[in-house]
Amino acid sequence: MTNIRTDWSRDEIAALFDLPFTELLFQAATVHREFHPPEQVQLCTLLSIKTGGCPEDCGYCSQSAHYDTGVKATKLMGAQEVIAAAKRAKDAGAQRFCMGAAWRSPKDRDMDKLTDMVRGVADLGLETCMTLGMLSPEQVTKLKNAGLDFYNHNIDTSPEYYAEIASTRTMEDRLETVEHVRKGGIKVCCGGILGMGEAEADRISMLVTLATLPSHPDSVPVNLWNAVKGVPVQGKSEKVDPFALVRLVALARILMPASVVRLSAGRTGMSDELQSLCFLAGANSIFVGNQLLTTENPATWKDNDLLQRLGMHVAPAKPASRSAKIAAQ
């Protein structure tokens, strides 16, 4: 039986990454089958509840106010509008509904509206997830009490490369919020982005950081950077080798056996064959729906067709925490 470890060394992880491709996939697939049904995929939907105008200067992001990307800033959506979108997502097969706001951190005046969204989405029987930037412990408590299941806060890249993509916050800021969320009893969703000009060593270092946290993230999103005109990363980005992506997915699976590994942004640029290799390597979740925040996502029919051809099916839905509480009353 594979042990869940948080004491991985950088050398151990680098040695795994360098294994022959077929051996790495075999090890990853073996671990995957110990912890997850290999034919099941979780479906998630992501909605931008507040778009653009973010004060952070993340060099990869279309929503930063520092760059002219053509994305217009919007106000925070109303709770009922968000809940209606969540119902449509559920009807389309989603099991988790993620809500993202382009903020450095939410203002206290927004918390009541945010908690109303969480309650309303959870009452539909969906798992709830939010990504709102950095959080204080008090804000974590309010979201937890409303029934929030997951909080997404990616570390984006390695600690060594982080200053190359953002200057208005640090890796330490990111990890502090992850720790607030973990201690507050909300499940952590935390991953990174490939293709921002980072070296192979940075990708390995990113996984070292995640795999040696006090406890592994419950979900690990793996994103390919989507080209955005007008941002600094545009001049640094390089196309990620497909086999390098599969290796990283396999490595994430071996290092964090119980975590959900999600193919997130960038799937429009992946062939069916590449996505299939990622599933073989241990990926077991995707975002569905035509839009991911401000970028495109594969059409739902294409995802359904691919899963059908692979003989894979949607994982059984897990009740959201608030819905579970209501059912128990």
Side-chain angles (χ1 to χ4, degrees):
M1 181 68 181
T2 300
N3 293 323
I4 296 178
R5 298 173 48 191
T6 58
D7 62 347
W8 292 95
S9 72
R10 187 179 298 266
D11 288 345
E12 282 181 293
I13 294 175
L16 282 170
F17 187 85
D18 288 338
L19 285 171
F21 186 73
T22 52
E23 176 60 24
L24 179 61
L25 257 64
F26 176 76
Q27 290 194 25
T30 301
V31 171
H32 187 57
R33 280 158 175 73
E34 284 189 46
F35 289 85
H36 309 273
E39 76 286 353
Q40 292 183 1
V41 178
Q42 180 197 64
L43 305 184
C44 308
T45 293
L46 175 60
L47 175 70
S48 179
I49 60 173
K50 192 277 173 189
T51 303
C54 181
E56 303 281 17
D57 69 351
C58 301
Y60 57 83
C61 186
S62 64
Q63 301 195 67
S64 172
H66 293 260
Y67 315 119
D68 183 10
T69 64
V71 173
K72 295 182 179 180
T74 66
K75 294 181 179 180
L76 181 64
M77 292 173 64
Q80 291 307 311
E81 188 179 1
V82 171
I83 294 166
K87 187 177 186 308
R88 292 192 296 272
K90 182 181 180 181
D91 291 343
Q95 299 156 291
R96 183 182 301 178
F97 191 73
C98 306
M99 296 158 272
W103 282 326
R104 177 178 172 83
S105 58
K107 294 180 172 59
D108 288 339
R109 66 171 182 261
D110 296 315
M111 292 306 298
D112 286 346
K113 187 179 287 189
L114 294 171
T115 53
D116 285 345
M117 293 177 191
V118 172
R119 293 187 187 97
V121 173
D123 287 346
L124 295 173
L126 288 162
E127 289 184 348
T128 55
C129 179
M130 280 187 159
T131 177
L132 311 168
M134 293 182 286
L135 294 180
S136 68
E138 294 76 18
Q139 289 171 331
V140 170
T141 298
K142 288 181 179 180
L143 292 170
K144 171 65 176 177
N145 290 341
L148 186 67
D149 296 296
F150 291 84
Y151 192 78
N152 169 259
H153 201 62
N154 292 333
I155 60 170
D156 297 335
T157 188
S158 69
E160 297 82 3
Y161 194 67
Y162 197 86
E164 298 296 319
I165 63 166
S167 67
T168 52
R169 62 184 176 196
T170 64
M171 177 65 77
E172 288 71 25
D173 293 330
R174 307 294 283 177
L175 293 174
E176 181 180 58
T177 287
V178 169
E179 183 66 3
H180 289 335
V181 170
R182 185 183 69 82
K183 286 184 174 180
I186 297 174
K187 295 177 182 177
V188 172
C189 178
C190 186
I193 309 170
L194 311 184
M196 300 189 294
E198 75 284 346
E200 181 179 281
D202 291 306
R203 297 171 186 171
I204 294 172
S205 179
M206 177 183 73
L207 289 186
V208 171
T209 303
L210 295 174
T212 56
L213 290 171
S215 57
H216 296 156
D218 299 272
S219 297
V220 181
V222 178
N223 299 273
L224 290 182
W225 184 67
N226 278 307
V228 177
K229 293 182 179 180
V231 298
V233 163
Q234 184 183 14
K236 304 177 182 179
S237 65
E238 296 178 359
K239 186 175 181 180
V240 177
D241 177 75
F243 295 119
L245 170 63
V246 179
R247 281 183 178 275
L248 202 80
V249 169
L251 192 56
R253 172 50 66 219
I254 294 170
L255 300 178
M256 296 170 278
S259 303
V260 169
V261 177
R262 180 176 303 113
L263 291 182
S264 298
R267 285 199 304 118
T268 53
M270 298 183 196
S271 68
D272 288 350
E273 293 81 5
L274 175 55
Q275 292 184 73
S276 302
L277 279 174
C278 288
F279 291 140
L280 179 63
N284 58 342
S285 179
I286 58 174
F287 277 119
V288 293
N290 296 335
Q291 189 84 5
L292 285 182
L293 297 179
T294 62
T295 60
E296 292 183 355
N297 200 48
T300 301
W301 72 264
K302 291 187 70 174
D303 286 331
N304 291 339
D305 178 69
L306 175 60
L307 296 180
Q308 183 177 23
R309 283 187 288 145
L310 294 176
M312 303 182 75
H313 58 264
V314 178
K318 297 176 182 179
S321 59
R322 177 172 166 81
S323 297
K325 292 177 183 176
I326 292 172
Q329 291 176 353

